[in-house]
Amino acid sequence: MASRPCCWRCLLRSSSSTSSSPRSSIHPTTTIPSIATWTSRNPSARTSFLHTTAVSRAQTGSSLRLKKKTRVKSTKPPAPGERKAVRKRVVLSNTNAVQVPGLEEWPIKTAAEAADGQDGADVKVSATSLAPVGSIVSLPAETVDGLRALESFKPSQGWGFFRTPSCLIRGITEEVLQGMKRSEEKAGDPESVLRRVIIGARGSGKSVLLLQAQGYALMRGWVVLHVPEAQDLTTATTAYGPLSTNPNDRTSTLYSQKDYTAALLTRILRANRTVLSNLTLSQAHPKFPVPLQSNISLDRLAAYGANDPDIAWPAFEALWTELTVPNKGQSGQQKQPPQPRPPILLTLDSLAHASRLTQYLAPSMHYIHAYDLTLLSHFSSYLSGSSTLEPNPSTDTTANNKSFTLPNGGAILAADSMSNRPKNPALDLAIRMASSNTAATSPSSSSAPLDHDPLNPYTPIDPRVMASLTAPHSSARFMRIPPPSRAETRTLLNYYAGSGMMKAPVTDELVSEMWSICGGGGDQAGGGGAQGGRAEEDGGEESAGYDRPPAFSTSHGLRNTLGRGGGEGTIGELERSCVGGFMGGLM
């Protein structure tokens, strides 16, 4: 006899019926057919039964079920690139700001120059029209337009708190401008070209010093080329490609960035249109992709590359060739006597990004060095004074023996950035050795650069970076931004008080407090600007206030101290935000 299938419910009911409990005797249990028995006899009904049971339990459940509402977007999403444009927007004027009384416009002209200007003559700014050290001057409108075209202003510098963009002329500012003046006067002397790497604490004014040099160059009629952020060239965000696919070609290791080069030519054209429009071609360019007229102006030559990224790099090379034609001793393929070529100012910000491996990949799946990109290789070669390309054993090395100088005078300035600085052991070692006047050569060979840190042999050092930044392989010198002097601190506080940003009276106690917190207390002579810059020029000799790093940078020190809220006569919360935001731009 076949056994009847049972389930646990049947067993429980059978055990409860046999129990002697009074409750079970009063209320006898009624036997109910087993569900397992019914579903085993009808397999087709098992699925429908389980579905019906689940639905019934969901309908009779106590949980609250609400219909999900669909959010309706009432605003239009930002267009591509709109957020970046808002993030990088720079406001240079504030019509609601108070005009600072007694603020003079840079350059401060002499009486003779002012008389010549009143006669209606177009007088170029004299090289001697430098503002006094420790004074704050406003930038002319024409210079501001050129600096905006070069993208020299940064959003974090707080220019929009005041009516006109102004800057403080420091001792190190005068030193850089005097070096540019000597380079212009001694045009043709390779030793007169100013090559400096500007270093310093965060917020000390490195980018503003570049801006002041660019403003002076624009007022003097120079041609200014500026790379506002080297990070844009190394983070693999723009198109790139090899210059040549021929393995026997020396340029096969170089990679061009056509879109960025076209954008750079656009900025050069907008900032220097007045100068370039008065210069014409003087050399033949047979390798240029398109035919060129013999009398074409240099602004039209730059427009070729700005409008067509495919020929942007050939246009940049042709423009640079025309700008570096010597004004004396012209020979060779000369079409017509050229106009005198002006000096050139070549600047770059965020040098740490331009002295390391980039995020671009070569066909061999290794990262491309920054010196193998055309624009950064061009800049680093002129900053060093010699080629930064690796020698190619399969070809001749005449390209490496080329002298990278400016025959008509000029300057090459690079600034390190501490705001978004990557790790760069080679640059850090170069700065440390320049400060201690140590030769950056290998102990085994006096001609080979260092490939490791002497203090940490396990840290690899890029020899190409060391050779391009340190002596005896490079002509570049480091220049550290020193803390402000007492007179410069007083000038800043008087400027804030005159503009209405600070309502507290400028007293000797306040000046001493600000000066000490900004790190200027170590410079007893009060002339830290000029001393700090000349220390690197003379080979890194020790000077007061140079080797000792400041406790706070200029902007952070004043920002933290001026931001203290309190009773009457102190700086409030609103003044703290305004002064703190403007400090980066003024210094």
Side-chain angles (χ1 to χ4, degrees):
M1 181 177 180
S3 61
R4 184 177 181 182
C6 298
C7 62
W8 286 105
R9 184 179 298 178
C10 298
L11 295 177
L12 291 175
R13 288 174 178 171
S14 60
S15 62
S16 61
S17 61
T18 56
S19 63
S20 58
S21 174
R23 183 179 182 88
S24 60
S25 60
I26 297 175
H27 301 282
T29 304
T30 305
T31 303
I32 301 176
S34 173
I35 297 176
T37 304
W38 178 64
T39 54
S40 62
R41 295 179 180 179
N42 302 278
S44 61
R46 180 178 179 86
T47 304
S48 60
F49 171 77
L50 295 177
H51 177 71
T52 305
T53 305
V55 173
S56 61
R57 289 180 180 178
Q59 293 177 352
T60 58
S62 59
S63 61
L64 180 61
R65 292 181 176 271
L66 298 177
K67 185 177 180 181
K68 186 177 181 180
K69 296 182 179 179
T70 303
R71 294 185 179 182
V72 180
K73 296 182 179 180
S74 58
T75 58
K76 183 181 179 180
E82 184 176 354
R83 294 179 179 177
K84 183 178 181 180
V86 173
R87 185 174 67 252
K88 298 182 65 176
R89 184 182 59 180
V90 178
V91 179
L92 298 179
S93 62
N94 188 353
T95 56
N96 296 324
V98 179
Q99 182 67 36
V100 179
L103 183 64
E104 295 185 272
E105 189 178 84
W106 190 33
I108 299 177
K109 297 183 179 181
T110 61
E113 293 172 349
D116 293 338
Q118 291 177 359
D119 295 339
D122 187 9
V123 180
K124 187 173 66 173
V125 176
S126 173
T128 59
S129 300
L130 301 179
V133 176
S135 61
I136 295 181
V137 293
S138 63
L139 300 176
E142 298 80 4
T143 306
V144 171
D145 294 339
L147 294 174
R148 182 188 285 272
L150 292 171
E151 298 184 5
S152 303
F153 299 102
K154 293 183 178 295
S156 59
Q157 292 173 343
W159 301 99
F161 289 112
F162 297 87
R163 183 176 291 272
T164 57
S166 305
C167 58
L168 173 64
I169 304 299
R170 305 184 61 188
I172 195 171
T173 306
E174 183 189 26
E175 183 178 353
V176 172
L177 301 186
Q178 291 292 347
M180 297 173 62
K181 172 186 173 183
R182 289 192 299 269
S183 177
E184 184 177 6
E185 293 175 349
K186 299 180 180 180
D189 184 7
E191 300 296 332
S192 65
V193 178
L194 186 66
R195 309 174 195 268
R196 293 294 179 268
V197 178
I198 304 171
I199 58 177
R202 180 180 180 182
S204 58
K206 300 180 291 297
S207 299
V208 176
L209 182 57
L210 289 182
L211 182 142
Q212 292 173 337
Q214 295 164 13
Y216 175 79
L218 291 175
M219 289 184 289
R220 290 285 301 152
W222 291 24
V223 175
V224 182
L225 294 79
H226 177 53
V227 179
E229 184 62 49
Q231 183 181 3
D232 297 338
L233 285 165
T234 61
T235 53
T237 56
T238 182
Y240 73 107
L243 279 184
S244 176
T245 58
N246 185 3
N248 296 325
D249 191 355
R250 182 63 188 88
T251 61
S252 60
T253 58
L254 289 179
Y255 296 85
S256 64
Q257 299 162 294
K258 59 179 184 179
D259 293 337
Y260 190 92
T261 306
L264 178 62
L265 288 173
T266 302
R267 295 196 297 266
I268 295 173
L269 183 60
R270 292 176 179 176
N272 307 277
R273 186 183 296 273
T274 303
V275 179
L276 296 179
S277 60
N278 297 325
L279 303 176
T280 58
L281 289 182
S282 63
Q283 303 292 321
H285 302 278
K287 295 183 179 181
F288 200 75
V290 297
L292 294 177
Q293 298 179 4
S294 58
N295 60 346
I296 189 176
S297 60
L298 296 189
D299 62 334
R300 293 182 59 189
L301 176 62
Y304 274 114
N307 298 329
D308 189 357
D310 292 333
I311 61 174
W313 177 247
F316 180 85
E317 286 186 314
L319 177 64
W320 185 265
T321 302
E322 292 292 337
L323 292 175
T324 54
V325 171
N327 292 331
K328 300 178 181 179
Q330 286 259 19
S331 61
Q333 298 178 356
Q334 179 180 353
K335 294 184 179 181
Q336 61 182 15
Q339 298 81 6
R341 296 319 196 214
I344 301 175
L345 175 62
L346 190 59
T347 58
L348 179 140
D349 207 345
S350 301
L351 180 63
H353 290 278
S355 305
R356 60 195 298 265
L357 293 177
T358 67
Q359 297 182 13
Y360 292 100
L361 286 176
S364 58
M365 298 307 294
H366 69 272
Y367 289 105
I368 300 174
H369 199 277
Y371 290 171
D372 292 333
L373 300 177
T374 52
L375 289 175
L376 295 181
S377 175
H378 179 85
F379 178 85
S380 59
S381 298
Y382 276 90
L383 177 64
S384 173
S386 59
S387 176
T388 57
L389 296 176
E390 290 183 337
N392 192 349
S394 61
T395 59
D396 56 0
T397 58
T398 55
N400 296 333
N401 298 330
K402 178 183 176 182
S403 177
F404 291 85
T405 185
L406 301 177
N408 303 319
I412 301 98
L413 303 177
D416 192 11
S417 177
M418 305 302 294
S419 300
N420 187 23
R421 190 178 189 271
K423 292 184 178 180
N424 197 324
L427 181 58
D428 297 338
L429 179 60
I431 294 174
R432 190 170 72 243
M433 287 190 166
S435 300
S436 59
N437 194 19
T438 304
T441 57
S442 176
S444 59
S445 176
S446 59
S447 61
L450 282 175
D451 56 356
H452 67 278
D453 192 343
L455 300 180
N456 187 4
Y458 298 101
T459 300
I461 299 298
D462 191 347
R464 299 178 64 182
V465 177
M466 294 297 297
S468 65
L469 296 177
T470 56
H473 311 281
S474 174
S475 301
R477 296 294 178 266
F478 288 87
M479 176 181 290
R480 184 181 294 274
I481 300 290
S485 63
R486 188 188 295 270
E488 294 170 352
T489 305
R490 180 179 291 275
T491 302
L492 286 174
L493 296 177
N494 288 331
Y495 184 81
Y496 296 149
S499 61
M501 299 289 289
M502 186 182 69
K503 298 182 180 179
V506 180
T507 60
D508 293 339
E509 292 78 8
L510 181 62
V511 173
S512 300
E513 183 180 2
M514 300 298 118
W515 179 57
S516 300
I517 291 182
C518 290
D523 187 5
Q524 302 297 334
Q531 293 180 5
R534 283 195 296 268
E536 286 298 326
E537 229 178 291
D538 298 337
E541 298 178 1
E542 293 185 2
S543 60
Y546 173 72
D547 289 328
R548 178 188 60 81
F552 296 94
S553 63
T554 303
S555 61
H556 291 101
L558 285 180
R559 183 181 306 172
N560 296 334
T561 306
L562 293 177
R564 300 176 306 166
E568 184 178 359
T570 58
I571 311 300
E573 293 295 330
L574 179 60
E575 299 167 8
R576 174 181 62 181
S577 61
C578 296
V579 173
F582 178 68
M583 279 306 304
L586 190 63
M587 295 300 295

